[in-house]
Amino acid sequence: MKIIDAHIHYSNIDTFKDTAKNLSFVDYSFEGIKKEMNDANIVLAIGMGVTETPEMGFPDYHAKTPMGLDLDADLPENVVYCAGINPYDMDTSALERLEKEIQKPNVVGMKIYLGYYPFYAYDDVYETVYQLAEKYHLPVVFHTGDTYSERGLLKYSHPLAIDEVAVKHRKVNFMMAHFGDPWTLTGAEIIYKNSNVFADLSGLIVGTKKELEEAQEGIFLNHLRHALVFSHSYDKLLFGTDWPLAPFGPYVEFIKSLIPESHHEDVFYRTALKVFPKIKPFLIEE
């Protein structure tokens, strides 16, 4: 089965490097990602644009919009990305840069980091982003749920705020990263109720194959299993790893164990084509 990973990272961020070195033990490099993707039969990955400066580190209020993928000078040919938004850099010149950026063939969406930046999804600061998304037929990805930084503020990353945005901008598709975890039941209701909201299943576990296997035991994932059944919306879910937070291959097996086999083609491939229509030219159909 061919797989599209709808959520990875490939940026020069210290926390990602530390995680790769000390928790997930992945080779966070150009050669590392190419080998891992090939071994896991991942034909395309969508990177979430994010950068940091030495002055602050992510969440970085000084990073330039649009944020991209800057781990290496080159991107693997089967890695595309969503331009990252820093709400503190949204003046006229930033918006001009953003509009120019999203017209590039390999920029397939935009990413808003709820919780990392202290603004709700419906804040006016993001209105231009939604307007650009509608104009260029691009999805907007929201970080939702737990933040991978103690400096994050969780009230801004709760998925309920996305309902208001989805209703106001019916012509724009939105994707909740991480299914709103740990508020997955709310996330389930949001995707069930709103035809233009989807969710990825990335970043649910940080670590190695061992941690992924252990998470499937006992009650640890019961809140997620409940949400998956409650939503009755397997066609609204996308596979993602949040690499380098976890290795590709073991995370594929982890998500396969949570999703009924009859829905694997949708979750691992087809739904990504609906949410991110610009990725189609990057896929070689058999």
Side-chain angles (χ1 to χ4, degrees):
M1 181 178 66
K2 294 182 296 185
I3 298 171
I4 296 171
D5 190 325
H7 190 139
I8 70 159
H9 292 283
Y10 192 73
S11 293
N12 188 25
I13 303 291
D14 283 343
T15 52
F16 293 157
K17 293 179 179 180
D18 289 343
T19 297
K21 180 180 179 181
N22 299 310
L23 295 177
S24 62
F25 304 116
V26 305
D27 180 359
Y28 189 46
S29 69
F30 182 85
E31 292 301 327
I33 193 172
K34 285 179 61 178
K35 183 180 186 306
E36 263 203 75
M37 286 178 63
N38 182 68
D39 290 347
N41 202 29
I42 294 174
V43 296
L44 186 82
I46 302 172
M48 298 297 149
V50 58
T51 58
E52 66 181 9
T53 66
E55 186 174 357
M56 190 172 189
F58 191 76
D60 196 323
Y61 296 1
H62 309 288
K64 290 284 188 182
T65 296
M67 297 184 286
L69 309 183
D70 63 351
L71 181 64
D72 192 274
D74 297 315
L75 282 179
E77 59 188 15
N78 56 349
V79 173
V80 295
Y81 64 100
C82 293
I85 308 300
N86 176 1
Y88 290 107
D89 184 38
M90 293 288 282
D91 60 13
T92 300
S93 61
L95 292 172
E96 289 175 351
R97 292 195 304 271
L98 177 61
E99 185 165 14
K100 183 177 180 181
E101 183 83 356
I102 62 177
Q103 294 179 68
K104 295 177 180 178
N106 62 339
V107 178
V108 300
M110 290 178 281
K111 173 71 180 287
I112 290 175
Y113 289 88
L114 302 180
Y116 292 102
Y117 295 106
F119 301 90
Y120 289 107
Y122 50 73
D123 194 286
D124 286 343
V125 71
Y126 294 126
E127 229 4 79
T128 305
V129 175
Y130 306 142
Q131 292 168 11
L132 287 172
E134 181 174 345
K135 178 179 178 179
Y136 291 99
H137 308 289
L138 293 177
V140 175
V141 180
F142 292 112
H143 172 86
T144 59
D146 183 36
T147 58
Y148 206 50
S149 168
E150 289 185 355
R151 291 192 286 120
L153 294 173
L154 294 175
K155 69 177 183 178
Y156 296 104
S157 61
H158 194 286
L160 187 59
I162 293 170
D163 183 50
E164 185 168 333
V165 178
V167 170
K168 184 176 180 180
H169 297 280
R170 303 303 297 170
K171 295 181 180 180
V172 178
N173 281 337
F174 299 96
M175 186 178 85
M176 294 187 300
H178 321 305
F179 203 17
D181 190 39
W183 303 297
T184 51
L185 201 57
T186 300
E189 172 60 19
I190 298 300
I191 66 170
Y192 172 78
K193 182 246 182 187
N194 295 290
S195 61
N196 59 332
V197 182
F198 300 78
D200 79 39
L201 299 173
S202 70
L204 300 174
I205 302 294
V206 177
T208 65
K209 179 181 179 181
K210 178 176 180 289
E211 282 74 37
L212 289 163
E213 291 176 344
E214 289 177 347
Q216 297 176 51
E217 303 172 0
I219 66 172
F220 182 76
L221 290 176
N222 278 3
H223 70 299
L224 176 62
R225 296 186 180 99
H226 181 189
L228 292 171
V229 175
F230 176 82
S231 72
H232 195 59
S233 302
Y234 289 106
D235 61 333
K236 305 290 289 297
L237 300 172
L238 293 80
F239 171 75
T241 58
D242 219 7
W243 190 90
L245 274 61
F248 287 111
Y251 205 89
V252 168
E253 298 306 313
F254 169 68
I255 296 299
K256 279 183 177 179
S257 72
L258 294 171
I259 303 295
E261 188 173 356
S262 59
H263 297 287
H264 281 186
E265 285 289 342
D266 283 337
V267 173
F268 285 94
Y269 192 83
R270 293 194 193 112
T271 303
L273 293 170
K274 290 193 294 186
V275 178
F276 298 95
K278 280 182 71 175
I279 68 176
K280 293 178 182 178
F282 293 88
L283 298 165
I284 302 175
E285 297 293 340
E286 297 179 354

